Amino acid sequence: MTTVETNISRILLKEEIQDFLFREAELLDERNFEEWLDLLTDDIRYWMPMRRNVKANELDREFTREGQDINWFDEGKGTLDRRVRQILTGVHWAEEPLSRICHFVTNVQLLGAEPSITDPIEVSVKCRFLIYRNRVQTETDFLIGKREDTLRKVNEEWKISQRKIILDQNVLLAKNLTFFF
Amino acid sequence: MATARKPRSKSSNRNSLVDLESGVISREIFVNPEIYAQEQEQLFARAWLFIGHQSQISKPGDFFVSSMGEESVILCRDRQNEIHVFLNSCTHRGMKVCRYDEGNTPVFSCPYHGWSFATDGKLVGVPYFKDAYKETLDKSKWGLPEVAQVCNYKGSIWATWDKHAPSFAEYMGGFTTYLDFLLDTWDGAGGETEVFGGIEKWVIPCNWKFPAENFIGDRYHNISHRSVDMAGVGPSGVGRRDTTEREGATALDISFPERGHGTITFLRPDDKKTTSYQHSKIVSEYFAHCESERQKNYGKWARLLPGPSTVFPNMSYLPRQPRSIAVWNPRGANSHEAWRWFLIDKNAPPEVREFLRHYYITYSGPSGLTEQDDMENWNYAHNASQGVIARRHPYNYQMGLGFDGPPVVTDGLEMPGQIRNVTDAFAGEQNQRGFYQRWSEFMSAPDWDALATWRNGNGKSH
Ligand code: FES
Ligand SMILES: [Fe+2]
């Protein structure tokens, strides 16, 4: 393949992945939680570490460890499914009435595609997010950070198989995390 | 937004704010900034406060930055293995000496003008000591301010700024009987407990007393967690907790009004063996093993299964499920910062560790399915209590007031505290009333001579 062809494949793939991420955000913001769950592989890992202030030479200790420490989130589809079901009970008071939420997804970078850019079955993609939440009357949160996702093709459809969420906060400034990143 | 305002009651006498004979408490004590300011002086500067766990500072030079009331403190193990708690503020011009959350250091160097403090708090380095100070600065007088007393109780570290405060043991009284179940290993054999890496810290927009009184004995708010019971986060995959271990147990509310502590505790019938945590083979075998060891080690005391509890004023804990410590750090009348430590037996097998870790995260804190609803309730209870009209209407703490619960049959267990059987009543508010009785005493007593009421024989001594 020529360089031009590879570049075109890359651009098309990036566009495709970006569309996927935007569509995902749309589902969440429109509160189609069950459809959103369908975008996750059955073996998804959903991880959001906590962040410590540490010395510059100890940055390996900045994040709490997946699978070992207490994290804001460190779970699979079963728990995510429970979170959705809890919201749908109509008596989950932290989300009843429902919050108004807007996901902004930007700075999308395609980091890799396996086995190839022309015929990928797995891609890794990094982006920035800004989540705006407003609930009841004046309660408002802005949550800003980075996301690293792995997407896998299952039956010709992209699904999320890994999501790492890096929130740029130390003390969590929101009282709860009742929504999805 | 409500602004500073004098209490509305006829007299500003605090007794009129907390009227326990009638079982009513003014909203002022939650929302009034002047009362909040007095709490800092009267309460947080005098009481014993929870700082952290010894497993967080296991080696010399290890430190963990914690909070006592509004103020940042450094918990540190010095070169001689002594545990210290210092104010995290430079004695020269107040700079926050340590802005890291935890780590290991030979010395704390102030970023502003470079004074440095050893791990025992002593001032050891002063730039231009010779030229600028002519070597006359008395370094021994300018170390980091240290708490008056510190205590390591079974791995939990506590401190107080008041040198006249009683010892930690006296401050707790018989309440350690219940606290022990949190700090001992699950089998009660006296092994080591540690905290998981990752201390949850988050802001809750309500007064710190909302969670403190919730944990001390609010069985009544069970209904608010209906959505979790429906979604099922419990350690056996259903409900919220695994309550099989409590089947047939007597539900007890235990209050220490003369000290302010309180706990929800279940008293099992003698022969009962727990069958909880049927999650997987390894996990259920482990807990079954711990349970039989627990019965051996605790003897008849193994019948006690303690639940949510609060050590006055602002440390709450869950000794069994999900085993954790919370501190409600005041941050103004209308807000506080919750900190959460999660405990695990050091020798727990990896499968058990993983199982508990997952349960802890999905139950507790901002991402926990259960506690999300608690925070919503505390947030908007506080929010709706700030107005002038709202403040004219006190909260109701009358549940069970003036009634004796049915007799408590303990079969020879000499359980400390004021015990109330709420098995049939389902809930009561004696623990909350005990908490606010103590709160009132702290707010008016001039010193610890007046606060140590149990010494002069009229309070029940435990
Ligand atoms: S403020 Fe610390 S050295 Fe000046
Ligand atoms: Fe609760």
Side-chain angles (χ1 to χ4, degrees):
Chain A
M1 225 187 323
T2 66
T3 323
V4 174
E5 281 169 336
T6 315
N7 281 346
I8 290 173
S9 301
R10 179 181 293 278
I11 290 165
L12 290 175
L13 181 60
K14 191 188 156 190
E15 197 63 20
E16 184 183 337
I17 298 302
Q18 195 164 272
D19 275 354
F20 174 87
L21 297 178
F22 292 167
R23 192 154 45 85
E24 188 211 352
E26 185 69 17
L27 287 178
L28 286 173
D29 292 350
E30 292 301 327
R31 302 162 176 162
N32 290 324
F33 302 117
E34 284 172 310
E35 277 183 63
W36 175 75
L37 281 175
D38 289 339
L39 297 185
L40 316 179
T41 63
D42 291 338
D43 62 349
I44 185 178
R45 289 305 307 165
Y46 186 87
W47 174 43
M48 178 165 147
M50 294 190 270
R51 300 183 71 169
R52 303 180 177 103
N53 294 300
V54 291
K55 288 186 182 169
N57 60 358
E58 291 173 358
L59 282 178
D60 54 321
R61 299 196 64 253
E62 182 177 10
F63 298 99
T64 53
R65 296 164 299 176
E66 183 177 16
Q68 290 183 66
D69 295 327
I70 300 295
N71 294 278
W72 290 130
F73 294 101
D74 189 357
E75 60 200 41
K77 195 164 185 177
T79 303
L80 290 165
D81 181 71
R82 250 177 233 136
R83 293 185 189 278
V84 166
R85 278 195 281 131
Q86 187 187 21
I87 294 172
L88 298 178
T89 59
V91 289
H92 180 23
W93 306 118
E95 276 302 328
E96 176 61 37
L98 286 166
S99 299
R100 290 164 285 272
I101 292 179
C102 221
H103 286 74
F104 293 81
V105 175
T106 69
N107 302 33
V108 178
Q109 303 169 70
L110 196 58
L111 299 182
E114 294 297 330
S116 70
I117 208 109
T118 43
D119 194 17
I121 53 169
E122 199 166 272
V123 298
S124 47
V125 55
K126 189 171 178 181
C127 66
R128 298 290 184 274
F129 65 81
L130 187 164
I131 298 172
Y132 167 83
R133 170 173 68 168
N134 173 266
R135 69 175 277 93
V136 188
Q137 288 176 312
T138 57
E139 197 186 346
T140 303
D141 293 300
F142 288 93
L143 295 111
I144 297 174
K146 295 116 191 161
R147 222 173 57 191
E148 289 172 41
D149 295 330
T150 305
L151 310 187
R152 192 195 299 152
K153 224 170 222 174
V154 181
N155 300 330
E156 298 303 302
E157 309 254 342
W158 287 113
K159 306 244 176 198
I160 306 158
S161 63
Q162 267 183 54
R163 172 154 291 171
K164 175 179 170 186
I165 304 145
I166 303 294
L167 180 68
D168 288 331
Q169 288 183 10
N170 172 253
V171 173
L172 181 69
L173 301 177
K175 75 174 183 223
N176 63 30
L177 298 168
T178 50
F179 47 89
F180 302 98
F181 283 83
Chain B
M1 219 11 127
T3 50
R5 204 167 276 131
K6 279 268 180 234
R8 286 263 157 198
S9 13
K10 283 177 204 81
S11 94
S12 62
N13 175 358
R14 207 147 287 108
N15 292 335
S16 65
L17 298 175
V18 176
D19 178 354
L20 295 172
E21 259 160 54
S22 321
V24 293
I25 295 180
S26 167
R27 300 182 187 213
E28 294 291 345
I29 77 161
F30 299 91
V31 301
N32 186 305
E34 287 169 41
I35 293 177
Y36 172 82
Q38 289 162 19
E39 278 180 339
Q40 303 316 305
E41 193 70 57
Q42 297 288 107
L43 228 159
F44 291 100
R46 303 199 291 186
W48 278 92
L49 304 172
F50 178 81
I51 311 294
H53 193 269
Q54 68 176 12
S55 60
Q56 296 179 277
I57 47 156
S58 52
K59 296 186 300 299
D62 281 357
F63 67 88
F64 169 70
V65 170
S66 191
S67 186
M68 289 176 76
E70 290 181 329
E71 287 165 290
S72 178
V73 295
I74 305 171
L75 168 65
C76 181
R77 185 181 290 273
D78 75 13
R79 306 297 194 81
Q80 272 66 52
N81 250 322
E82 289 286 319
I83 291 175
H84 299 269
V85 179
F86 309 113
L87 188 69
N88 189 4
S89 179
C90 182
T91 44
H92 177 239
R93 205 68 93 245
M95 175 62 189
K96 197 168 192 176
V97 171
C98 183
R99 289 161 305 137
Y100 304 111
D101 296 330
E102 52 188 76
N104 184 284
T105 192
V107 72
F108 296 98
S109 301
C110 180
Y112 198 176
H113 310 92
W115 282 22
S116 52
F117 302 89
T119 49
D120 62 0
K122 291 203 179 76
L123 177 61
V124 289
V126 176
Y128 302 101
F129 184 62
K130 224 168 132 187
D131 301 326
Y133 287 98
K134 309 294 177 208
E135 295 186 4
T136 57
L137 174 72
D138 184 354
K139 288 190 204 157
S140 69
K141 290 209 170 74
W142 294 91
L144 289 175
E146 185 161 12
V147 295
Q149 303 180 56
V150 58
C151 176
N152 179 350
Y153 182 74
K154 293 194 169 190
S156 62
I157 318 277
W158 304 74
T160 173
W161 292 112
D162 194 336
K163 64 174 186 289
H164 300 295
S167 69
F168 179 71
E170 190 182 343
Y171 182 86
M172 294 299 283
F175 199 73
T176 46
T177 302
Y178 307 107
L179 179 67
D180 286 353
F181 291 106
L182 168 79
L183 301 170
D184 291 350
T185 49
W186 206 262
D187 59 7
E192 265 190 85
T193 290
E194 62 183 11
V195 298
F196 271 107
I199 310 300
E200 290 187 340
K201 301 171 188 172
W202 75 104
V203 174
I204 311 178
C206 70
N207 187 272
W208 65 273
K209 293 188 287 302
F210 278 96
E213 72 146 75
N214 174 286
F215 272 70
I216 210 169
D218 192 334
R219 298 173 190 263
Y220 197 46
H221 83 293
N222 204 35
I223 190 170
S224 73
H225 292 304
R226 204 144 44 95
S227 69
V228 205
D229 297 333
M230 291 157 81
V233 292
S236 299
V238 291
R240 200 177 341 144
R241 295 199 172 101
D242 191 332
T243 52
T244 49
E245 65 180 23
R246 298 175 181 169
E247 273 163 19
T250 309
L252 304 175
D253 284 352
I254 305 174
S255 175
F256 285 61
E258 77 289 357
R259 286 180 167 82
H261 321 313
T263 177
I264 281 178
T265 291
F266 293 86
L267 178 65
R268 278 191 304 201
D270 228 351
D271 51 348
K272 178 81 181 171
K273 279 264 198 293
T274 175
T275 53
S276 50
Y277 299 110
Q278 299 301 301
H279 169 83
S280 73
K281 192 159 177 294
I282 296 169
V283 171
S284 56
E285 279 174 7
Y286 172 77
F287 282 109
H289 169 76
C290 285
E291 175 60 23
S292 59
E293 290 299 302
R294 189 179 185 270
Q295 303 218 346
K296 264 185 249 159
N297 290 317
Y298 286 139
K300 57 185 181 174
W301 289 99
R303 293 173 56 206
L304 291 187
L305 293 174
S309 313
T310 293
V311 174
F312 190 85
N314 67 333
M315 182 274 203
S316 297
Y317 64 88
L318 298 169
R320 290 188 75 78
Q321 304 172 28
R323 192 174 164 203
S324 56
I325 293 169
V327 172
W328 320 109
N329 293 298
R331 297 287 184 264
N334 304 328
S335 186
H336 75 277
E337 206 173 287
W339 287 31
R340 204 73 179 270
W341 290 252
F342 294 90
L343 295 169
I344 179 89
D345 289 354
K346 213 167 183 167
N347 65 2
E351 291 84 353
V352 172
R353 245 186 132 78
E354 180 51 22
F355 159 75
L356 289 176
R357 191 182 66 92
H358 180 255
Y359 175 53
Y360 293 172
I361 297 174
T362 47
Y363 186 102
S364 314
S367 47
L369 276 75
T370 306
E371 295 186 352
Q372 291 176 346
D373 288 330
D374 288 320
M375 292 178 271
E376 184 79 0
N377 282 315
W378 304 334
N379 180 173
Y380 284 97
H382 185 108
N383 180 283
S385 296
Q386 290 173 297
V388 219
I389 306 300
R391 293 195 204 192
R392 290 180 194 165
H393 298 273
Y395 292 154
N396 182 305
Y397 290 84
Q398 294 172 337
M399 195 188 302
L401 182 66
F403 301 94
D404 289 328
V408 183
V409 184
T410 62
D411 295 320
L413 266 192
E414 285 183 29
M415 296 169 56
Q418 183 180 301
I419 304 176
R420 195 185 176 94
N421 181 347
V422 293
T423 315
D424 297 329
F426 178 72
E429 288 174 340
Q430 74 147 18
N431 289 12
Q432 290 92 326
R433 290 190 292 270
F435 178 88
Y436 290 110
Q437 177 183 319
R438 190 56 173 161
W439 182 89
S440 299
E441 287 167 6
F442 258 94
M443 293 297 277
S444 53
D447 51 35
W448 263 106
D449 282 340
L451 277 169
T453 52
W454 52 85
R455 286 182 190 156
N456 43 35
N458 44 19
K460 249 184 284 166
S461 184
H462 298 295

